[in-house]
Amino acid sequence: MNDIDLLPTDIDEDLRTNVRALLAARASAQDVSRVYDEPGFDAPAVDAGLFDELELAGLVIPEADGGDGAGLSAAGTVASEIGRSAAPSLFLSSAVVASRVVFRAAAAERRTGADGPAHKLLRRLATDGTTAALAMDVTARKWSGSLHVTANTAGPSAADDPLEPGAAVELIGIVHGVADAHRADLLVVPARTVGGALVIAVADAADARVTVFPSLDETRRLSEVKLAGIRGQVIAVGDGAQRALERALIDTLAVLACEQSGIVDAAFDSGLEYVKERRQFGRTIGSYQAIKHRLADAWIAANQLRAAAVAAVRTVDASDAGEVSRADAAIAVRTASAYAKTHTSHIVEEILQFHGGNGMTWEFPIHLLLKRAKLDEVMLGGAEAQRDELGRLVDL
Amino acid sequence: MNDIDLLPTDIDEDLRTNVRALLAARASAQDVSRVYDEPGFDAPAVDAGLFDELELAGLVIPEADGGDGAGLSAAGTVASEIGRSAAPSLFLSSAVVASRVVFRAAAAERRTGADGPAHKLLRRLATDGTTAALAMDVTARKWSGSLHVTANTAGPSAADDPLEPGAAVELIGIVHGVADAHRADLLVVPARTVGGALVIAVADAADARVTVFPSLDETRRLSEVKLAGIRGQVIAVGDGAQRALERALIDTLAVLACEQSGIVDAAFDSGLEYVKERRQFGRTIGSYQAIKHRLADAWIAANQLRAAAVAAVRTVDASDAGEVSRADAAIAVRTASAYAKTHTSHIVEEILQFHGGNGMTWEFPIHLLLKRAKLDEVMLGGAEAQRDELGRLVDL
Amino acid sequence: MSSTDTAVPTGGSAADTAAIDAAVSAAAAAARDLTDDAAVWGVLYDHGLAWVDFPRGSGGLGVSGSLRAYAHAAVEAAGLSQPDPRRNTIGFGMAAPTIAVHGTEDQRKLLRDIFTLSRIFCQLFSEPGAGSDLAAVATRAVRDGDDWRVTGQKVWTSGAQNADIAILVTRTDPDVPKHKGLTYFLIDMKQPGVETRGLRQITGESEFNEVFLDDAVVPDSRRLGDVGEGWRVANTTLNSERVSIGSGAPREGGMIGVVASAWRSSTKYRSPVLRDELLGHWVDAEVQRTSGMLLNQKLAAGRPGPEGSGAKVSFSRTAQSLSDLDLRMRGVDGLRYDSWEDRRPTDYSMTGRNPVYRYLRAKGNSIEGGTTEIILNIIAEKVLGLPGEHRTDKDVPFKDMPR
Amino acid sequence: MSSTDTAVPTGGSAADTAAIDAAVSAAAAAARDLTDDAAVWGVLYDHGLAWVDFPRGSGGLGVSGSLRAYAHAAVEAAGLSQPDPRRNTIGFGMAAPTIAVHGTEDQRKLLRDIFTLSRIFCQLFSEPGAGSDLAAVATRAVRDGDDWRVTGQKVWTSGAQNADIAILVTRTDPDVPKHKGLTYFLIDMKQPGVETRGLRQITGESEFNEVFLDDAVVPDSRRLGDVGEGWRVANTTLNSERVSIGSGAPREGGMIGVVASAWRSSTKYRSPVLRDELLGHWVDAEVQRTSGMLLNQKLAAGRPGPEGSGAKVSFSRTAQSLSDLDLRMRGVDGLRYDSWEDRRPTDYSMTGRNPVYRYLRAKGNSIEGGTTEIILNIIAEKVLGLPGEHRTDKDVPFKDMPR
């Protein structure tokens, strides 16, 4: 653990600069607000920039599969910038969550020497502009195996189990609260067979009935996803499927912590600027000691969150490179996530309070950060859930 | 609930004035410090005043049993004053805890019309200067029935069960962390028989081996109490014993909340005085806004705790008078206790911090309040335990 | 304002209650044949039963404010209709007490209109540059013969779109320090120079308004208090505490009730840790309720204390914590919203709609009606006697102040 | 203090490491036949290997401070003994860097004594009336020929009873504003005018001292810096940050390790709620450790950041929260103490003795070495650029200030 390098690399810095410039131009507070006002509008210029121009779809996908092989660390850099502007983007849902599920599934294939369906899908995600979303309740702490989708072998076969990767299946069920399903091309669907085996299948989103419902954070819209016996292809089965999903969710929490860190940094910066300008009773409100102390506290937490979030993505990368154990990676991620989920909303709320009445208005961008902060807090389980999982890892 | 009168009565005010004057004279910080420096010294002038001069031994004992019948409300007034000076006194242990156990046991007798051993004991406690301590782990949340004392029928009898009130028993076992056992005349001992029945017995403390050990708060010393087959008399059995103890512990928590409220008030008052005098950087430290806000927060909590603590003792009295239900009383008590256990130490710690280095010295009395606050916090279970019990009462 | 001459700190003398009883009898007789509620309310006003602590002739009997509850109950017992103060909140809570103290005889006639709900009031105090620091208002009023011309922008005005009259604080002299150049008016809202726009909140809806004043007219006869005395008059408004009636909220009233009910009705996301958190808030809410009970009892006994000043701080913290937990404890259902559409709600409830609304709306609780920070300052300085904050804005002409 | 003339923000040039390597070789040769550790340390000092960033002739080589770790490792690799800085904490951490900057040639000879542990230092800064506000010291030093006579009271002096010399801040001119009338000395502790008394703490023991100076003598040759320049010199002392060696604490180092081990070894008082609380502190401790790691890496890369200024705030909060939980989670065992007797501990550990000791001792963590409040002020003002607190004490003669 002591040897994880936490300093930004030149590549990180370049990536950050490019993404920040793009989002400054295309994800201003006005751009983001439109997403709330126009339920059919998803600020497509943002992802046109991130995916088509900056070519970030394959960032976390190995070079052998057509990606950049940049690892989770680079995704964390992008996510922290997305967090800063609460940008509506498929990056997390497709280029991180779905891609990491498929990546982990492909890794299972690799171990058996097969260049199977997961590898093929990974290449599509990296290279041909295809996007995907994970058909799972966005607030679920883990894939418990008790999900709501049933996979039947397609066609009139008698035996449901065992299924093999590559097998065609029929997917039946409803999942509530899927993130970004309404604009993904594919759905990655964790399911169980009638016989009880776990599988991960992939299906065309166009075949599903995807119904967006209004929710806390419209920059990451939620849907009910109804699968009425649609056709899917199995990409992982059994323990391999279970492990792939478990590890991919850890990966996601690490990148999410980076997004949360970006939210905190943006809120803090805007708050600091505001208190230096806003005057009440003849003084800037930043001259009042109670405000000063609370900002200093927020600054301490923001710094610590940044360090912990970078440690999380870097440790996952180190674990993938065989330098540290999977348990070490999971510990770093759960730690960062628990910390992020404890502090992010709180800091944004503090900054909102410093804005006084202005913070309650639609006009000031702080509410966009608040909504993203709160969504991120409950994604994949709250702070308590992360601490509980951490406790299992560190024998407490 | 809405009709509980929370205003101080004239009798309350007189009692408060008398106790405050007595403790000001006999329980100064120097007096109290001596208890730490001299393990054999218990500041006897304090209880000489409270018991012999102010005659408070029978405060919560009915007039019919020789007491004042003033109810728990009056005991709360005394306790809050004792809390203010962290005075070393048997009042809580003997005149509240032990007396309420015996009172509740006597009430069970009354229901069966008997003027049994509990009533007789109650009269002794009220009138002849006898003191008692409850032989229970001071941190135990409840009498679980799995305590460490076994009661055998005394003499060569074959049948252990059932025992009757008044029966002579032999008490065998060890209890760790009994408050004030070293200077009580009697021990009130919850025990179970070999056959598993629950009893409350009373025994001479002189017959037990009572070993004081150094602990956090020397003003309420803790002991190991070893009962090597000593002789005791049963005062309650079975469900009656169980219920008597349960209700007496609720009574105790109510009075304890008053003591905690007194600790908070004393700490707050001394802190406010200190910050108005102590200067740093050319200003009183009470002029710094961060300190001002924290003191204002402490003041809010102190007020609320005072109201909740009074409501707790008054609601128990109202329940004893049949005006509200026992559940209402328990809810008021658990609420006040949970609040007291959440805030008391915290406020004292804040005040200590405002004292800077001086707060860390033996010379300033704040440490005496800190030690009492922390002991009170863990007595009969911490804040979490109180909330858990409350949850059962309010269906959460 | 009380005209009782006894120094005994009680809720009012026997003579006072007798005066009320007599007034109620007389009003009941006078209203016997009236069928219109507003007419009945007019009779109550004329008999001094609107606000019994106000002077005779101004809707009151000059008795102690602690007898409001007594009077309210007496009128109710007589079977007479009484107006719902919530239909004219600013009128009852802020305008009336201020007019009663500072109004001319002519202005005091508005008290009857307030009580009978025939004129609805709103408040034009806050400005974009004057939030907690009300004395920093920049809206100018300039003398124009028998009138004043008012230009500026006000914010956080609820009900502006339905109001007839506003209480208004303006700057009439920018050449003197800021507390000294203010003047207070009662301005007609239904005129061309007054434009009301919804102020959209983070919930999506426009619960409040911005009000733009552009050469709006107010006659000098609607000036409340002297020119330059606006700060003193405004303080009467801000210090007006409505006398609470009854013995306070029931247990599990407000946000705690909403969340506790939700918890009881679903076992889906329960955990021991969340339960402990919920119970912690339950304790806080109940302790606040108990404190309010004690405060009411003190008030009723004529022994008011300063403890009430902390109530809003605790209330907003608990409302915020509970609405936060509410959102978190429901999984996806906690994230569902109804609509982000910009609407003008006709009424609203902090405990209404859904967890997302409640979470977002509760953020305003620690801001509106005095921020938590301002209240803590007031407690520290006014109650605890700690030194005031260093100020440089008290002696500089308003126009020379950095803003 | 670095004499390197490169502007590149790295850990030191190749020439610097070569200089260190050469010095180590020479020192190893010179120390070959020495058996006495102190003699070896003297050789290290003479070869510039005591503090490599100090100037040549003052125990250093004038290279970057970031090369201390490199030098330490090189000396160790050469098999040479090095002194334990903890045996002269004030000497190494505060006196040496101050003497190196402000000392006369004669005074700089003390650096060798500090390094070889032949003179132990303590610190006489704080006073009963000057805690956070060090510039308020009232201890008077009055010129007396070639000497100064010092009278006053100092507090919070650890190791005073065993120290040979103290760094001392005194007031030499009460007629000028407080920051301007201070002078800094190196005073001999072993003299009749210096009396050391244990200062009893809430733990019962006397870990620190009060030092009473009654006409104590210090020669003018032991004055560090000019008369009236004491504030500037003291700031060198206070800003001396020891360069940290190695990659920081291990996971579960410090208080978290003590409490986590206790939790694992007993199931008696576990509950899901207490477990969640413990895990929350575990997370905080681990995040602090990670932040420290990042800071060390930045430092090693020559890119120090201001983030370290928050470390002590977090450390003290976590230590206090953990020691509190530790006491609460053990039932009666959490309340047991060993002794309240007033003792002078020869050494101590914040994580030692028992839960009661740790709980009480941790209360000092947010006070000693800069209170949490002072550190938050410094962060707000120096790092975040927020305005300083209003001060009236900077221009008034010290003698005229209310105290």
Side-chain angles (χ1 to χ4, degrees):
Chain A
M1 279 303 297
N2 283 341
D3 297 317
I4 299 287
D5 185 354
L6 301 175
L7 296 174
T9 63
D10 291 347
I11 296 174
D12 280 343
E13 296 288 21
D14 286 349
L15 186 57
R16 185 178 298 282
T17 305
N18 291 337
V19 175
R20 185 172 296 191
L22 183 112
L23 294 179
R26 306 191 192 179
S28 70
Q30 284 89 331
D31 297 327
V32 177
S33 283
R34 271 190 71 190
V35 175
Y36 286 84
D37 282 325
E38 300 173 33
F41 176 78
D42 283 311
V46 170
D47 278 349
L50 293 175
F51 286 84
D52 304 338
E53 295 163 44
L54 298 184
E55 297 183 332
L56 301 179
L59 200 63
V60 304
I61 296 173
E63 291 180 77
D65 295 303
D68 288 315
L72 219 53
S73 173
T77 301
V78 175
S80 71
E81 290 301 316
I82 290 176
R84 284 188 77 94
S85 54
S89 170
L90 272 174
F91 181 78
L92 187 78
S93 293
S94 181
V96 177
V97 183
S99 293
R100 288 301 270 201
V101 172
V102 179
F103 166 67
R104 296 295 185 195
E109 285 179 348
R110 189 177 296 135
R111 277 200 302 278
T112 62
D115 184 14
H119 273 289
K120 285 175 189 152
L121 177 56
L122 208 50
R123 183 167 291 275
R124 282 184 67 193
L125 291 171
T127 59
D128 79 353
T130 301
T131 58
L134 178 67
M136 211 174 110
D137 174 347
V138 76
T139 66
R141 170 181 176 169
K142 59 171 75 171
W143 186 33
S144 61
S146 65
L147 281 174
H148 309 98
V149 180
T150 307
N152 295 326
T153 46
S157 156
D160 285 307
D161 292 341
L163 287 167
E164 290 297 323
V169 286
E170 234 177 31
L171 299 166
I172 303 169
I174 296 181
V175 188
H176 299 277
V178 177
D180 289 325
H182 65 296
R183 57 189 184 121
D185 301 313
L186 302 176
L187 294 173
V188 176
V189 186
R192 60 162 71 244
T193 65
V194 173
L198 304 172
V199 301
I200 301 172
V202 62
D204 272 353
D207 296 340
R209 194 150 80 227
V210 175
T211 313
V212 174
F213 56 84
S215 68
L216 171 64
D217 179 10
E218 292 291 321
T219 67
R220 186 169 286 151
R221 295 198 210 278
L222 304 183
S223 302
E224 322 277 14
V225 172
K226 193 163 184 182
L227 308 173
I230 71 171
R231 193 175 173 79
Q233 184 190 34
V234 172
I235 60 167
V237 298
D239 287 352
Q242 178 83 41
R243 270 198 307 273
L245 200 54
E246 272 171 16
R247 294 190 63 190
L249 295 185
I250 290 282
D251 298 348
T252 302
L253 283 168
V255 176
L256 193 65
C258 295
E259 175 170 307
Q260 292 168 297
S261 175
I263 293 169
V264 165
D265 288 345
F268 181 84
D269 290 351
S270 73
L272 185 60
E273 191 180 354
Y274 188 85
V275 303
K276 285 180 176 178
E277 281 170 15
R278 174 79 173 173
R279 303 180 81 91
Q280 293 280 274
F281 306 105
R283 290 165 49 180
T284 59
I285 60 173
S287 73
Y288 289 96
Q289 196 188 37
I291 307 285
K292 286 163 68 176
H293 279 200
R294 285 158 68 183
L295 272 168
D297 273 329
W299 179 79
I300 292 171
N303 289 334
Q304 292 185 343
L305 173 52
R306 214 178 302 116
V310 169
V313 286
R314 295 278 178 99
T315 311
V316 170
D317 285 339
S319 160
D320 285 345
E323 294 160 10
V324 302
S325 71
R326 283 189 201 171
D328 270 341
I331 289 169
V333 172
R334 297 290 186 187
T335 298
S337 180
Y339 194 80
K341 285 164 180 280
T342 302
H343 292 279
T344 303
S345 303
H346 174 72
I347 292 173
V348 179
E349 288 164 358
E350 282 278 274
I351 301 298
L352 187 153
Q353 175 75 14
F354 298 159
H355 278 73
N358 284 334
M360 287 299 289
T361 65
W362 195 258
E363 199 178 333
F364 277 71
I366 192 76
H367 74 101
L368 301 171
L369 294 173
L370 180 68
K371 288 160 186 172
R372 180 66 78 85
K374 207 71 203 170
L375 172 64
D376 284 3
E377 185 177 336
V378 298
M379 277 178 69
L380 301 177
E384 180 216 348
Q386 306 311 321
R387 287 191 291 265
D388 180 42
E389 296 290 343
L390 177 64
R392 294 163 210 263
L393 293 164
V394 300
D395 185 28
L396 285 175
Chain B
M1 280 302 298
N2 284 341
D3 297 318
I4 299 287
D5 184 356
L6 302 175
L7 296 174
T9 63
D10 291 346
I11 296 175
D12 281 341
E13 298 288 20
D14 286 349
L15 186 57
R16 186 178 297 283
T17 305
N18 292 338
V19 175
R20 186 172 295 191
L22 182 112
L23 294 178
R26 305 191 194 178
S28 70
Q30 283 89 331
D31 296 328
V32 177
S33 283
R34 268 190 74 190
V35 174
Y36 287 84
D37 282 325
E38 300 173 33
F41 176 78
D42 283 311
V46 170
D47 278 348
L50 292 174
F51 286 84
D52 303 338
E53 296 163 41
L54 299 184
E55 297 181 334
L56 300 179
L59 199 64
V60 303
I61 295 172
E63 292 180 76
D65 296 302
D68 288 316
L72 219 52
S73 173
T77 301
V78 175
S80 71
E81 291 301 317
I82 290 176
R84 285 188 77 95
S85 54
S89 170
L90 272 176
F91 181 78
L92 187 78
S93 294
S94 181
V96 178
V97 183
S99 294
R100 288 303 268 200
V101 172
V102 180
F103 166 65
R104 295 297 183 193
E109 285 178 348
R110 189 178 297 138
R111 276 200 302 277
T112 63
D115 184 16
H119 274 288
K120 285 176 190 153
L121 178 55
L122 208 50
R123 182 168 292 276
R124 281 185 67 194
L125 291 171
T127 57
D128 78 353
T130 301
T131 59
L134 178 67
M136 211 175 110
D137 174 347
V138 76
T139 68
R141 166 182 178 169
K142 58 171 76 171
W143 185 33
S144 60
S146 66
L147 281 175
H148 308 100
V149 180
T150 305
N152 295 324
T153 46
S157 156
D160 286 307
D161 291 341
L163 287 168
E164 290 297 323
V169 285
E170 234 178 33
L171 299 165
I172 304 169
I174 297 180
V175 188
H176 299 278
V178 178
D180 289 326
H182 66 298
R183 56 189 185 121
D185 300 314
L186 301 176
L187 294 173
V188 176
V189 186
R192 60 162 70 243
T193 64
V194 173
L198 303 172
V199 301
I200 301 172
V202 63
D204 271 353
D207 295 340
R209 193 149 79 225
V210 175
T211 314
V212 174
F213 56 85
S215 67
L216 171 64
D217 180 9
E218 292 291 320
T219 67
R220 187 168 284 150
R221 296 198 211 276
L222 304 183
S223 303
E224 322 278 14
V225 172
K226 194 165 184 180
L227 309 172
I230 70 170
R231 192 174 174 81
Q233 183 190 35
V234 172
I235 61 169
V237 299
D239 288 351
Q242 177 82 39
R243 271 200 306 275
L245 200 54
E246 272 171 15
R247 294 190 64 189
L249 294 185
I250 291 281
D251 299 347
T252 302
L253 283 168
V255 176
L256 192 64
C258 295
E259 174 169 308
Q260 291 169 298
S261 175
I263 292 169
V264 164
D265 288 345
F268 182 84
D269 290 350
S270 73
L272 185 60
E273 190 180 356
Y274 187 84
V275 303
K276 285 180 176 178
E277 282 170 15
R278 173 79 173 174
R279 303 180 81 90
Q280 293 279 276
F281 306 106
R283 291 165 48 181
T284 58
I285 61 174
S287 73
Y288 288 96
Q289 198 190 36
I291 307 285
K292 285 162 67 176
H293 280 200
R294 286 158 69 182
L295 271 168
D297 274 329
W299 179 79
I300 292 171
N303 288 335
Q304 294 186 343
L305 173 53
R306 215 179 302 115
V310 169
V313 286
R314 294 278 178 98
T315 311
V316 169
D317 285 340
S319 159
D320 285 345
E323 294 161 9
V324 303
S325 70
R326 284 189 199 171
D328 270 341
I331 289 169
V333 173
R334 297 291 187 186
T335 298
S337 179
Y339 195 80
K341 285 164 180 278
T342 302
H343 292 280
T344 303
S345 302
H346 174 72
I347 293 173
V348 179
E349 288 164 358
E350 282 279 273
I351 302 298
L352 186 152
Q353 175 74 15
F354 299 158
H355 278 71
N358 285 334
M360 287 299 289
T361 65
W362 194 258
E363 200 178 332
F364 277 72
I366 192 74
H367 74 101
L368 301 171
L369 295 172
L370 180 68
K371 288 160 186 172
R372 179 64 78 85
K374 206 73 203 168
L375 171 64
D376 283 3
E377 185 178 336
V378 298
M379 275 178 71
L380 300 177
E384 180 218 347
Q386 306 311 322
R387 288 191 291 265
D388 180 41
E389 296 291 342
L390 176 65
R392 294 162 210 264
L393 293 163
V394 300
D395 185 27
L396 286 175
Chain C
M1 274 188 294
S2 165
S3 68
T4 55
D5 55 1
T6 168
V8 181
T10 66
S13 66
D16 288 344
T17 56
I20 292 171
D21 293 344
V24 172
S25 298
R32 187 166 303 138
D33 301 325
L34 297 176
T35 52
D36 177 45
D37 276 348
V40 175
W41 304 337
V43 168
L44 290 178
Y45 179 89
D46 297 338
H47 285 79
L49 293 166
W51 303 281
V52 288
D53 48 317
F54 282 19
R56 286 180 186 270
S58 295
L61 296 168
V63 302
S64 162
S66 62
L67 288 173
R68 279 195 183 188
Y70 178 86
H72 190 271
V75 172
E76 192 161 282
L80 297 171
S81 162
Q82 297 185 76
D84 180 354
R86 285 171 302 179
R87 291 175 57 192
N88 199 2
T89 308
I90 302 295
F92 274 67
M94 304 183 95
T98 312
I99 293 170
V101 173
H102 298 282
T104 60
E105 194 181 332
D106 206 51
Q107 289 165 352
R108 286 207 301 275
K109 290 178 183 155
L110 287 169
L111 292 170
R112 195 177 198 275
D113 296 342
I114 291 171
F115 189 72
T116 59
L117 307 182
S118 59
R119 300 227 211 188
I120 304 302
F121 274 64
C122 70
Q123 183 220 108
L124 297 176
F125 279 25
S126 295
E127 298 183 7
S132 295
D133 181 11
L134 176 62
V137 296
T139 291
R140 282 298 308 274
V142 177
R143 188 81 190 221
D144 177 20
D146 285 344
D147 292 337
W148 295 77
R149 298 280 177 171
V150 184
T151 300
Q153 182 188 347
K154 296 286 181 177
V155 286
W156 302 113
T157 308
S158 37
Q161 71 274 32
N162 303 317
D164 303 298
I165 303 187
I167 48 177
L168 167 72
V169 179
T170 67
R171 183 158 307 280
T172 44
D173 186 354
D175 295 324
V176 295
K178 67 185 196 183
H179 293 85
K180 297 182 182 156
L182 301 174
T183 303
Y184 194 116
F185 294 99
L186 306 171
I187 192 170
D188 192 346
M189 289 291 287
K190 305 263 164 87
Q191 60 165 305
V194 176
E195 190 199 341
T196 296
R197 283 186 217 157
L199 176 59
R200 197 171 183 194
Q201 278 187 285
I202 65 178
T203 55
E205 66 182 25
S206 294
E207 181 188 328
F208 295 96
N209 299 282
E210 294 178 294
V211 175
F212 296 85
L213 300 157
D214 180 13
D215 221 25
V217 178
V218 55
D220 191 55
S221 62
R222 282 288 177 84
R223 173 169 45 76
L224 204 57
D226 289 339
V227 173
E229 287 292 305
W231 178 246
R232 201 168 62 87
V233 182
N235 270 291
T236 303
T237 306
L238 297 173
N239 294 334
S240 300
E241 283 184 59
R242 275 153 289 173
V243 176
S244 79
I245 292 176
S247 58
R251 180 177 283 166
E252 288 198 14
M255 200 75 87
I256 183 63
V258 175
V259 184
S261 299
W263 181 272
R264 292 188 187 105
S265 68
S266 164
T267 57
K268 203 166 157 197
Y269 290 95
R270 287 185 191 177
S271 83
V273 175
L274 290 181
R275 174 175 179 261
D276 183 66
E277 186 185 337
L278 173 58
L279 283 162
H281 302 320
W282 198 98
V283 165
D284 288 346
E286 179 66 3
V287 168
Q288 287 161 33
R289 196 179 73 85
T290 306
S291 301
M293 239 162 74
L294 172 56
L295 200 68
N296 278 340
Q297 291 179 8
K298 283 186 168 187
L299 220 63
R303 285 180 285 175
E307 299 88 343
S309 50
K312 183 172 171 283
V313 171
S314 302
F315 160 78
S316 61
R317 284 183 184 150
T318 302
Q320 290 174 350
S321 300
L322 277 164
S323 59
D324 184 297
L325 171 62
D326 192 19
L327 186 152
R328 285 185 281 116
M329 77 186 195
R330 295 171 190 251
V332 164
D333 289 340
L335 299 173
R336 288 176 198 273
Y337 203 47
D338 40 9
S339 166
W340 292 106
E341 201 189 327
D342 187 358
R343 294 177 295 191
R344 293 280 278 265
T346 51
D347 59 5
Y348 83 102
S349 160
M350 307 245 187
T351 55
R353 289 179 68 178
N354 51 55
V356 170
Y357 171 79
R358 295 191 289 265
Y359 169 73
L360 294 172
R361 183 62 186 81
K363 295 290 160 269
N365 294 161
S366 51
I367 298 169
E368 58 203 336
T371 65
T372 293
E373 290 74 17
I374 292 290
I375 298 173
L376 294 178
N377 263 4
I378 291 171
I379 291 171
E381 295 169 15
K382 300 283 157 63
V383 183
L384 306 184
L386 294 169
E389 288 299 300
H390 175 63
R391 293 186 67 165
T392 58
D393 65 329
K394 286 193 155 172
D395 304 315
V396 185
F398 180 74
K399 67 178 164 54
D400 298 332
M401 282 196 39
R403 262 169 284 159
Chain D
M1 273 189 297
S2 164
S3 67
T4 56
D5 55 1
T6 169
V8 182
T10 66
S13 67
D16 287 346
T17 54
I20 293 170
D21 294 344
V24 172
S25 297
R32 188 167 300 136
D33 301 325
L34 298 176
T35 51
D36 177 44
D37 277 347
V40 174
W41 303 337
V43 167
L44 289 177
Y45 180 89
D46 296 339
H47 286 79
L49 293 166
W51 303 281
V52 289
D53 49 315
F54 282 20
R56 285 180 187 270
S58 295
L61 297 166
V63 301
S64 161
S66 62
L67 288 172
R68 279 195 184 188
Y70 177 89
H72 191 273
V75 172
E76 191 160 283
L80 297 171
S81 163
Q82 297 184 75
D84 180 353
R86 287 171 300 181
R87 290 176 58 193
N88 197 1
T89 307
I90 302 295
F92 274 67
M94 304 184 95
T98 311
I99 294 171
V101 173
H102 298 282
T104 61
E105 194 181 331
D106 206 50
Q107 288 165 350
R108 284 207 302 275
K109 287 178 187 156
L110 287 169
L111 292 170
R112 194 177 198 275
D113 295 342
I114 291 171
F115 189 73
T116 59
L117 308 181
S118 59
R119 300 228 211 187
I120 304 303
F121 274 64
C122 71
Q123 186 218 108
L124 296 176
F125 278 25
S126 296
E127 297 182 6
S132 295
D133 183 11
L134 176 63
V137 297
T139 291
R140 281 299 309 271
V142 176
R143 190 83 190 220
D144 179 18
D146 286 341
D147 291 336
W148 294 78
R149 297 282 176 167
V150 185
T151 300
Q153 182 189 349
K154 296 287 181 177
V155 283
W156 302 113
T157 307
S158 37
Q161 70 274 33
N162 304 316
D164 302 296
I165 303 187
I167 49 177
L168 168 72
V169 179
T170 67
R171 183 157 308 278
T172 44
D173 186 353
D175 295 325
V176 295
K178 68 184 194 183
H179 294 84
K180 295 182 181 156
L182 302 174
T183 303
Y184 194 116
F185 294 99
L186 306 171
I187 193 172
D188 192 345
M189 290 291 287
K190 306 264 164 84
Q191 60 166 305
V194 177
E195 191 200 340
T196 296
R197 282 187 217 156
L199 175 59
R200 197 172 183 193
Q201 279 187 283
I202 64 177
T203 55
E205 66 182 26
S206 294
E207 181 189 326
F208 296 96
N209 298 283
E210 295 178 293
V211 176
F212 296 85
L213 299 155
D214 181 13
D215 220 25
V217 179
V218 54
D220 190 55
S221 61
R222 281 288 176 84
R223 172 170 46 74
L224 204 57
D226 288 341
V227 174
E229 286 292 304
W231 179 246
R232 201 167 64 86
V233 180
N235 270 292
T236 302
T237 306
L238 297 174
N239 294 334
S240 300
E241 284 184 58
R242 276 154 287 171
V243 177
S244 79
I245 292 176
S247 56
R251 180 176 283 164
E252 289 197 15
M255 200 76 87
I256 183 62
V258 174
V259 184
S261 299
W263 181 271
R264 291 188 187 107
S265 69
S266 165
T267 57
K268 201 167 160 198
Y269 290 95
R270 287 184 192 178
S271 84
V273 175
L274 290 181
R275 173 176 178 260
D276 184 65
E277 185 185 338
L278 173 58
L279 282 163
H281 302 321
W282 199 98
V283 165
D284 288 345
E286 179 67 4
V287 167
Q288 287 161 33
R289 196 179 74 84
T290 306
S291 301
M293 237 163 76
L294 172 57
L295 201 69
N296 277 341
Q297 291 178 8
K298 282 185 165 186
L299 220 64
R303 287 180 284 173
E307 298 90 340
S309 49
K312 182 174 171 283
V313 172
S314 302
F315 159 78
S316 61
R317 285 184 183 149
T318 302
Q320 289 174 351
S321 300
L322 276 164
S323 60
D324 184 297
L325 171 63
D326 191 21
L327 186 152
R328 284 186 283 116
M329 77 186 195
R330 296 172 190 250
V332 164
D333 289 341
L335 299 173
R336 288 177 197 273
Y337 203 47
D338 39 9
S339 165
W340 292 106
E341 200 189 329
D342 187 0
R343 293 177 296 189
R344 291 282 277 266
T346 50
D347 59 7
Y348 82 102
S349 160
M350 308 246 188
T351 54
R353 290 179 65 177
N354 50 56
V356 169
Y357 171 79
R358 295 191 290 265
Y359 168 74
L360 294 172
R361 183 60 187 80
K363 296 287 160 267
N365 294 162
S366 52
I367 299 169
E368 58 203 335
T371 65
T372 292
E373 290 74 16
I374 291 290
I375 297 173
L376 293 178
N377 262 4
I378 291 172
I379 290 172
E381 296 170 14
K382 299 283 157 63
V383 183
L384 306 182
L386 294 170
E389 288 298 301
H390 175 63
R391 293 184 68 163
T392 57
D393 63 330
K394 286 192 155 172
D395 304 315
V396 186
F398 179 75
K399 66 180 167 49
D400 298 333
M401 284 193 41
R403 261 170 282 159

